[in-house]
Amino acid sequence: MGSTQAKQSSGNDTLMQIVLEKNIFFPDEFIRGSIQLKSNKTLKLGQILYQVKQTEYWNFQKTQTKSINKTNQNPIINLVINYPNLTNISLFKGVSIPFSIQLPSYVIPSLEYSLVDKQAFIRNELHVRIDELNVFAGIYIIIKKPAMVLNSPLTINSTSNTK
């Protein structure tokens, strides 16, 4: 079991960190991990917002003086989970909050493509936010395409003229 640590976020006197069991996933798989939270404040609502966002970016040089850029960010998951057991308890020594979120089956796999005049990527990021503490953390995750089962053997027909 691997541990991946996120960008650490601090809001005033609060520290939050995301720790994942792994950072490579397939569609329909569960993202499992925990949030390490330490604060001088207490939670009144106990609500934590989990988001998985997918960012698509494309850039290519159309002419020597003109390039075309496109950026699109899509929310894949917006989930608020209530933790009533965290309300009105001291967070001074820190707590570990486990979570499990299922990725949808339609999520697009990650992509990185780069040449001198062309660049593209599809990146997925897990964001965790606790509004009442004004704290945020995020971590990149990799989504892979599942293997495909072929109905018949793969055959390749090739013709070439040699001289």
Side-chain angles (χ1 to χ4, degrees):
M1 179 162 74
S3 171
T4 305
Q5 298 183 354
K7 300 179 278 187
Q8 191 166 329
S9 175
S10 62
N12 304 338
D13 53 356
T14 302
L15 296 173
M16 182 169 63
Q17 191 173 30
I18 303 170
V19 179
L20 297 177
E21 290 181 359
K22 60 181 186 173
N23 66 343
I24 299 174
F25 303 93
F26 290 97
D28 269 338
E29 193 173 355
F30 282 89
I31 301 172
R32 290 188 174 88
S34 63
I35 300 167
Q36 308 300 317
L37 182 64
K38 192 174 187 178
S39 179
N40 292 334
K41 301 176 184 176
T42 60
L43 292 172
K44 303 292 182 205
L45 301 174
Q47 289 184 341
I48 299 178
L49 173 65
Y50 297 90
Q51 295 178 313
V52 175
K53 292 184 179 180
Q54 190 168 69
T55 303
E56 296 181 46
Y57 172 79
W58 309 91
N59 176 18
F60 65 94
Q61 197 75 30
K62 189 168 184 172
T63 64
Q64 284 192 355
T65 58
K66 184 177 181 183
S67 65
I68 297 177
N69 293 314
K70 180 184 175 190
T71 303
N72 189 19
Q73 191 172 61
N74 301 313
I76 304 297
I77 295 173
N78 274 318
L79 179 64
V80 176
I81 298 179
N82 292 313
Y83 294 91
N85 57 328
L86 294 177
T87 57
N88 298 318
I89 66 165
S90 174
L91 303 173
F92 184 72
K93 291 185 179 181
V95 293
S96 179
I97 307 163
F99 66 88
S100 179
I101 301 167
Q102 186 174 14
L103 288 170
S105 60
Y106 58 82
V107 67
I108 299 171
S110 301
L111 167 76
E112 292 287 335
Y113 179 81
S114 180
L115 291 175
V116 174
D117 59 342
K118 299 174 189 81
Q119 294 139 4
F121 64 75
I122 298 175
R123 294 182 183 156
N124 299 282
E125 190 171 2
L126 171 64
H127 292 217
V128 178
R129 196 171 78 215
I130 304 174
D131 288 333
E132 63 181 303
L133 296 179
N134 193 28
V135 68
F136 163 87
I139 187 169
Y140 283 103
I141 58 173
I142 297 170
I143 298 177
K144 289 190 167 187
K145 182 178 179 179
M148 291 184 58
V149 177
L150 299 175
N151 294 334
S152 62
L154 183 63
T155 58
I156 299 173
N157 294 330
S158 174
T159 58
S160 62
N161 295 330
T162 56
K163 295 181 181 179

